[in-house]
Short mmCIF file of all heavy atoms in Angstrom, two decimals:
data_model
loop_
_atom_site.label_atom_id
_atom_site.label_comp_id
_atom_site.label_asym_id
_atom_site.label_seq_id
_atom_site.Cartn_x
_atom_site.Cartn_y
_atom_site.Cartn_z
N SER A 147 23.68 -40.24 71.34
CA SER A 147 23.23 -38.87 71.06
C SER A 147 22.10 -38.81 70.03
O SER A 147 22.21 -39.35 68.93
CB SER A 147 24.42 -38.05 70.53
OG SER A 147 23.98 -36.89 69.87
N SER A 148 21.04 -38.14 70.39
CA SER A 148 19.90 -37.98 69.49
C SER A 148 20.30 -37.22 68.23
O SER A 148 19.78 -37.50 67.13
CB SER A 148 18.76 -37.25 70.20
OG SER A 148 19.20 -35.99 70.70
N ILE A 149 21.22 -36.29 68.36
CA ILE A 149 21.65 -35.49 67.21
C ILE A 149 22.47 -36.35 66.25
O ILE A 149 22.31 -36.30 65.02
CB ILE A 149 22.48 -34.27 67.67
CG1 ILE A 149 21.72 -33.48 68.75
CG2 ILE A 149 22.82 -33.38 66.49
CD1 ILE A 149 20.30 -33.10 68.38
N THR A 150 23.35 -37.17 66.81
CA THR A 150 24.12 -38.10 65.98
C THR A 150 23.20 -39.05 65.23
O THR A 150 23.43 -39.36 64.05
CB THR A 150 25.11 -38.89 66.85
OG1 THR A 150 26.16 -38.03 67.26
CG2 THR A 150 25.69 -40.08 66.11
N GLN A 151 22.14 -39.50 65.88
CA GLN A 151 21.21 -40.42 65.21
C GLN A 151 20.51 -39.74 64.04
O GLN A 151 20.33 -40.35 62.98
CB GLN A 151 20.20 -40.97 66.21
CG GLN A 151 20.84 -41.88 67.26
CD GLN A 151 19.83 -42.72 67.98
OE1 GLN A 151 19.06 -43.46 67.37
NE2 GLN A 151 19.81 -42.63 69.31
N ALA A 152 20.12 -38.49 64.22
CA ALA A 152 19.49 -37.76 63.11
C ALA A 152 20.45 -37.62 61.94
O ALA A 152 20.07 -37.78 60.77
CB ALA A 152 19.03 -36.38 63.60
N ALA A 153 21.72 -37.31 62.25
CA ALA A 153 22.72 -37.20 61.19
C ALA A 153 22.94 -38.54 60.51
O ALA A 153 23.10 -38.62 59.27
CB ALA A 153 24.03 -36.68 61.78
N SER A 154 22.94 -39.62 61.28
CA SER A 154 23.19 -40.95 60.72
C SER A 154 22.05 -41.41 59.82
O SER A 154 22.29 -42.11 58.82
CB SER A 154 23.40 -41.95 61.86
OG SER A 154 24.53 -41.58 62.64
N ILE A 155 20.82 -41.03 60.15
CA ILE A 155 19.69 -41.35 59.27
C ILE A 155 19.91 -40.70 57.90
O ILE A 155 19.72 -41.34 56.86
CB ILE A 155 18.36 -40.88 59.90
CG1 ILE A 155 18.03 -41.75 61.12
CG2 ILE A 155 17.22 -40.94 58.87
CD1 ILE A 155 16.91 -41.20 61.97
N ALA A 156 20.34 -39.45 57.89
CA ALA A 156 20.62 -38.77 56.62
C ALA A 156 21.75 -39.46 55.87
O ALA A 156 21.68 -39.64 54.65
CB ALA A 156 20.96 -37.30 56.88
N ALA A 157 22.80 -39.86 56.61
CA ALA A 157 23.94 -40.54 55.97
C ALA A 157 23.48 -41.80 55.25
O ALA A 157 23.88 -42.08 54.12
CB ALA A 157 25.00 -40.86 57.00
N LEU A 158 22.63 -42.59 55.91
CA LEU A 158 22.26 -43.91 55.39
C LEU A 158 21.13 -43.87 54.37
O LEU A 158 20.95 -44.85 53.62
CB LEU A 158 21.86 -44.81 56.56
CG LEU A 158 22.99 -45.16 57.54
CD1 LEU A 158 22.44 -45.82 58.79
CD2 LEU A 158 24.03 -46.06 56.88
N THR A 159 20.39 -42.79 54.32
CA THR A 159 19.22 -42.75 53.44
C THR A 159 19.35 -41.76 52.28
O THR A 159 18.55 -41.81 51.35
CB THR A 159 17.94 -42.41 54.23
OG1 THR A 159 18.08 -41.11 54.83
CG2 THR A 159 17.68 -43.44 55.31
N GLN A 160 20.33 -40.88 52.34
CA GLN A 160 20.49 -39.89 51.27
C GLN A 160 21.71 -40.23 50.42
O GLN A 160 22.21 -41.34 50.44
CB GLN A 160 20.55 -38.48 51.88
CG GLN A 160 19.25 -38.10 52.62
CD GLN A 160 19.27 -36.71 53.21
OE1 GLN A 160 19.95 -35.80 52.71
NE2 GLN A 160 18.53 -36.52 54.30
N SER A 161 22.20 -39.27 49.65
CA SER A 161 23.22 -39.54 48.64
C SER A 161 24.53 -40.07 49.22
O SER A 161 25.05 -39.54 50.21
CB SER A 161 23.51 -38.26 47.85
OG SER A 161 24.59 -38.45 46.96
N ASP A 162 25.06 -41.12 48.58
CA ASP A 162 26.38 -41.65 48.91
C ASP A 162 27.48 -41.04 48.04
O ASP A 162 28.63 -41.46 48.12
CB ASP A 162 26.41 -43.18 48.71
CG ASP A 162 25.80 -43.94 49.88
OD1 ASP A 162 25.57 -43.32 50.93
OD2 ASP A 162 25.55 -45.15 49.72
N GLU A 163 27.14 -40.08 47.22
CA GLU A 163 28.12 -39.53 46.28
C GLU A 163 29.36 -38.99 46.98
O GLU A 163 30.49 -39.24 46.52
CB GLU A 163 27.48 -38.46 45.40
CG GLU A 163 28.41 -37.88 44.33
CD GLU A 163 29.00 -38.95 43.40
OE1 GLU A 163 28.33 -39.99 43.17
OE2 GLU A 163 30.13 -38.74 42.91
N PRO A 164 29.22 -38.22 48.09
CA PRO A 164 30.45 -37.77 48.77
C PRO A 164 31.33 -38.93 49.22
O PRO A 164 32.56 -38.84 49.16
CB PRO A 164 29.91 -36.98 49.97
CG PRO A 164 28.56 -36.53 49.56
CD PRO A 164 28.01 -37.65 48.71
N SER A 165 30.74 -40.03 49.64
CA SER A 165 31.51 -41.20 50.06
C SER A 165 32.24 -41.82 48.87
O SER A 165 33.40 -42.24 48.99
CB SER A 165 30.59 -42.24 50.70
OG SER A 165 30.00 -41.72 51.88
N ARG A 166 31.57 -41.87 47.73
CA ARG A 166 32.21 -42.42 46.52
C ARG A 166 33.39 -41.55 46.09
O ARG A 166 34.44 -42.06 45.69
CB ARG A 166 31.19 -42.56 45.40
CG ARG A 166 30.22 -43.73 45.60
CD ARG A 166 29.40 -43.99 44.35
NE ARG A 166 28.40 -42.96 44.12
CZ ARG A 166 27.15 -43.01 44.60
NH1 ARG A 166 26.77 -44.04 45.34
NH2 ARG A 166 26.30 -42.05 44.35
N GLN A 167 33.22 -40.24 46.18
CA GLN A 167 34.31 -39.32 45.82
C GLN A 167 35.49 -39.47 46.78
O GLN A 167 36.66 -39.45 46.36
CB GLN A 167 33.80 -37.88 45.82
CG GLN A 167 32.79 -37.58 44.71
CD GLN A 167 32.23 -36.17 44.80
OE1 GLN A 167 32.61 -35.37 45.66
NE2 GLN A 167 31.29 -35.85 43.92
N MET A 168 35.19 -39.63 48.06
CA MET A 168 36.24 -39.82 49.06
C MET A 168 37.02 -41.11 48.78
O MET A 168 38.26 -41.12 48.81
CB MET A 168 35.62 -39.86 50.46
CG MET A 168 36.63 -40.05 51.58
SD MET A 168 35.88 -39.94 53.24
CE MET A 168 34.88 -41.45 53.25
N THR A 169 36.30 -42.19 48.48
CA THR A 169 36.96 -43.46 48.19
C THR A 169 37.82 -43.36 46.94
O THR A 169 38.93 -43.91 46.89
CB THR A 169 35.91 -44.58 48.05
OG1 THR A 169 35.23 -44.73 49.29
CG2 THR A 169 36.56 -45.90 47.68
N ALA A 170 37.34 -42.66 45.93
CA ALA A 170 38.13 -42.47 44.71
C ALA A 170 39.42 -41.74 45.00
O ALA A 170 40.49 -42.07 44.45
CB ALA A 170 37.30 -41.72 43.66
N GLU A 171 39.36 -40.75 45.90
CA GLU A 171 40.56 -40.01 46.27
C GLU A 171 41.51 -40.89 47.07
O GLU A 171 42.74 -40.86 46.87
CB GLU A 171 40.19 -38.77 47.07
CG GLU A 171 41.37 -37.98 47.64
CD GLU A 171 42.35 -37.45 46.61
OE1 GLU A 171 42.01 -37.42 45.40
OE2 GLU A 171 43.47 -37.06 46.99
N PHE A 172 40.98 -41.72 47.96
CA PHE A 172 41.83 -42.66 48.70
C PHE A 172 42.54 -43.62 47.74
O PHE A 172 43.72 -43.93 47.93
CB PHE A 172 41.01 -43.46 49.71
CG PHE A 172 40.67 -42.71 50.97
CD1 PHE A 172 39.44 -42.89 51.59
CD2 PHE A 172 41.58 -41.84 51.56
CE1 PHE A 172 39.12 -42.22 52.77
CE2 PHE A 172 41.27 -41.16 52.73
CZ PHE A 172 40.04 -41.35 53.33
N LYS A 173 41.83 -44.08 46.73
CA LYS A 173 42.44 -44.99 45.75
C LYS A 173 43.59 -44.30 45.02
O LYS A 173 44.66 -44.89 44.81
CB LYS A 173 41.41 -45.49 44.75
CG LYS A 173 41.97 -46.48 43.73
CD LYS A 173 40.89 -46.95 42.75
CE LYS A 173 41.44 -48.03 41.81
NZ LYS A 173 42.51 -47.52 40.94
N ARG A 174 43.38 -43.04 44.65
CA ARG A 174 44.43 -42.29 43.95
C ARG A 174 45.66 -42.16 44.84
O ARG A 174 46.80 -42.37 44.40
CB ARG A 174 43.89 -40.91 43.57
CG ARG A 174 44.77 -40.11 42.61
CD ARG A 174 44.18 -38.74 42.34
NE ARG A 174 44.31 -37.87 43.50
CZ ARG A 174 45.41 -37.19 43.81
NH1 ARG A 174 46.49 -37.27 43.03
NH2 ARG A 174 45.46 -36.41 44.87
N ARG A 175 45.44 -41.84 46.11
CA ARG A 175 46.56 -41.71 47.05
C ARG A 175 47.24 -43.06 47.27
O ARG A 175 48.47 -43.13 47.37
CB ARG A 175 46.06 -41.18 48.38
CG ARG A 175 45.53 -39.76 48.34
CD ARG A 175 45.00 -39.40 49.71
NE ARG A 175 44.28 -38.14 49.73
CZ ARG A 175 43.62 -37.70 50.81
NH1 ARG A 175 43.61 -38.43 51.91
NH2 ARG A 175 42.99 -36.55 50.76
N ARG A 176 46.44 -44.12 47.38
CA ARG A 176 47.01 -45.46 47.56
C ARG A 176 48.00 -45.77 46.45
O ARG A 176 49.11 -46.25 46.71
CB ARG A 176 45.90 -46.51 47.56
CG ARG A 176 46.39 -47.94 47.70
CD ARG A 176 45.40 -48.96 47.20
NE ARG A 176 45.13 -48.86 45.76
CZ ARG A 176 44.53 -49.80 45.04
NH1 ARG A 176 44.11 -50.91 45.62
NH2 ARG A 176 44.31 -49.62 43.74
N ASP A 177 47.61 -45.49 45.22
CA ASP A 177 48.47 -45.81 44.08
C ASP A 177 49.76 -45.00 44.12
O ASP A 177 50.84 -45.51 43.79
CB ASP A 177 47.71 -45.56 42.77
CG ASP A 177 46.53 -46.51 42.60
OD1 ASP A 177 46.46 -47.52 43.32
OD2 ASP A 177 45.67 -46.22 41.74
N ILE A 178 49.65 -43.74 44.53
CA ILE A 178 50.84 -42.89 44.64
C ILE A 178 51.78 -43.42 45.72
O ILE A 178 52.99 -43.58 45.50
CB ILE A 178 50.43 -41.42 44.96
CG1 ILE A 178 49.72 -40.80 43.75
CG2 ILE A 178 51.65 -40.59 45.36
CD1 ILE A 178 49.07 -39.46 44.06
N VAL A 179 51.22 -43.71 46.89
CA VAL A 179 52.05 -44.16 48.01
C VAL A 179 52.69 -45.51 47.71
O VAL A 179 53.85 -45.76 48.05
CB VAL A 179 51.22 -44.20 49.31
CG1 VAL A 179 52.03 -44.83 50.45
CG2 VAL A 179 50.77 -42.80 49.70
N LYS A 180 51.96 -46.39 47.04
CA LYS A 180 52.52 -47.69 46.68
C LYS A 180 53.77 -47.52 45.82
O LYS A 180 54.80 -48.16 46.06
CB LYS A 180 51.48 -48.52 45.93
CG LYS A 180 51.97 -49.88 45.41
CD LYS A 180 52.31 -50.83 46.53
CE LYS A 180 52.37 -52.30 46.08
NZ LYS A 180 53.36 -52.57 45.06
N SER A 181 53.70 -46.65 44.83
CA SER A 181 54.86 -46.45 43.95
C SER A 181 56.02 -45.84 44.72
O SER A 181 57.19 -46.19 44.48
CB SER A 181 54.49 -45.56 42.76
OG SER A 181 54.15 -44.25 43.18
N LEU A 182 55.74 -44.96 45.67
CA LEU A 182 56.81 -44.33 46.45
C LEU A 182 57.44 -45.33 47.41
O LEU A 182 58.68 -45.35 47.58
CB LEU A 182 56.24 -43.14 47.24
CG LEU A 182 55.74 -41.95 46.40
CD1 LEU A 182 55.06 -40.92 47.29
CD2 LEU A 182 56.89 -41.31 45.63
N LEU A 183 56.64 -46.17 48.04
CA LEU A 183 57.18 -47.18 48.96
C LEU A 183 57.99 -48.23 48.20
O LEU A 183 59.02 -48.70 48.68
CB LEU A 183 56.05 -47.85 49.74
CG LEU A 183 55.34 -47.00 50.80
CD1 LEU A 183 54.14 -47.75 51.37
CD2 LEU A 183 56.30 -46.60 51.92
N ASP A 184 57.51 -48.61 47.01
CA ASP A 184 58.23 -49.60 46.20
C ASP A 184 59.64 -49.14 45.86
O ASP A 184 60.52 -49.96 45.61
CB ASP A 184 57.46 -49.88 44.90
CG ASP A 184 56.29 -50.83 45.11
OD1 ASP A 184 56.27 -51.55 46.12
OD2 ASP A 184 55.38 -50.85 44.25
N ALA A 185 59.84 -47.82 45.84
CA ALA A 185 61.15 -47.27 45.46
C ALA A 185 62.14 -47.22 46.62
O ALA A 185 63.31 -46.88 46.41
CB ALA A 185 60.96 -45.86 44.89
N ILE A 186 61.70 -47.59 47.83
CA ILE A 186 62.60 -47.55 48.98
C ILE A 186 63.28 -48.91 49.16
O ILE A 186 62.61 -49.92 49.37
CB ILE A 186 61.83 -47.20 50.28
CG1 ILE A 186 61.15 -45.83 50.15
CG2 ILE A 186 62.78 -47.21 51.48
CD1 ILE A 186 60.31 -45.46 51.35
N PRO A 187 64.59 -48.98 49.03
CA PRO A 187 65.30 -50.25 49.20
C PRO A 187 65.04 -50.84 50.59
O PRO A 187 65.12 -50.14 51.60
CB PRO A 187 66.78 -49.87 49.03
CG PRO A 187 66.76 -48.58 48.27
CD PRO A 187 65.52 -47.87 48.70
N GLY A 188 64.72 -52.13 50.64
CA GLY A 188 64.52 -52.82 51.90
C GLY A 188 63.08 -52.92 52.36
O GLY A 188 62.74 -53.71 53.23
N ILE A 189 62.22 -52.10 51.77
CA ILE A 189 60.78 -52.12 52.12
C ILE A 189 60.08 -53.17 51.26
O ILE A 189 60.30 -53.24 50.05
CB ILE A 189 60.13 -50.74 51.87
CG1 ILE A 189 60.56 -49.74 52.94
CG2 ILE A 189 58.62 -50.85 51.81
CD1 ILE A 189 59.72 -49.72 54.19
#
């Protein structure tokens, strides 16, 4: 898709800040889920 390619050019050449914020949120969730899973006997 030509439209997808235009969007992808912007993704790769402009700010990565939204991606960094998303990754930071994933890390926060990872830490929460790890502690919750660790508390389940047998897991």
Side-chain angles (χ1 to χ4, degrees):
S147 162
S148 57
I149 308 308
T150 288
Q151 293 197 55
S154 299
I155 290 168
L158 294 169
T159 61
Q160 298 181 29
S161 174
D162 280 347
E163 183 56 30
S165 297
R166 286 191 288 270
Q167 292 176 3
M168 180 175 69
T169 297
E171 174 60 15
F172 282 143
K173 182 179 185 296
R174 191 183 72 83
R175 294 177 189 173
R176 179 201 64 165
D177 295 345
I178 291 169
V179 173
K180 176 66 162 60
S181 65
L182 294 173
L183 290 173
D184 281 341
I186 300 177
I189 286 273

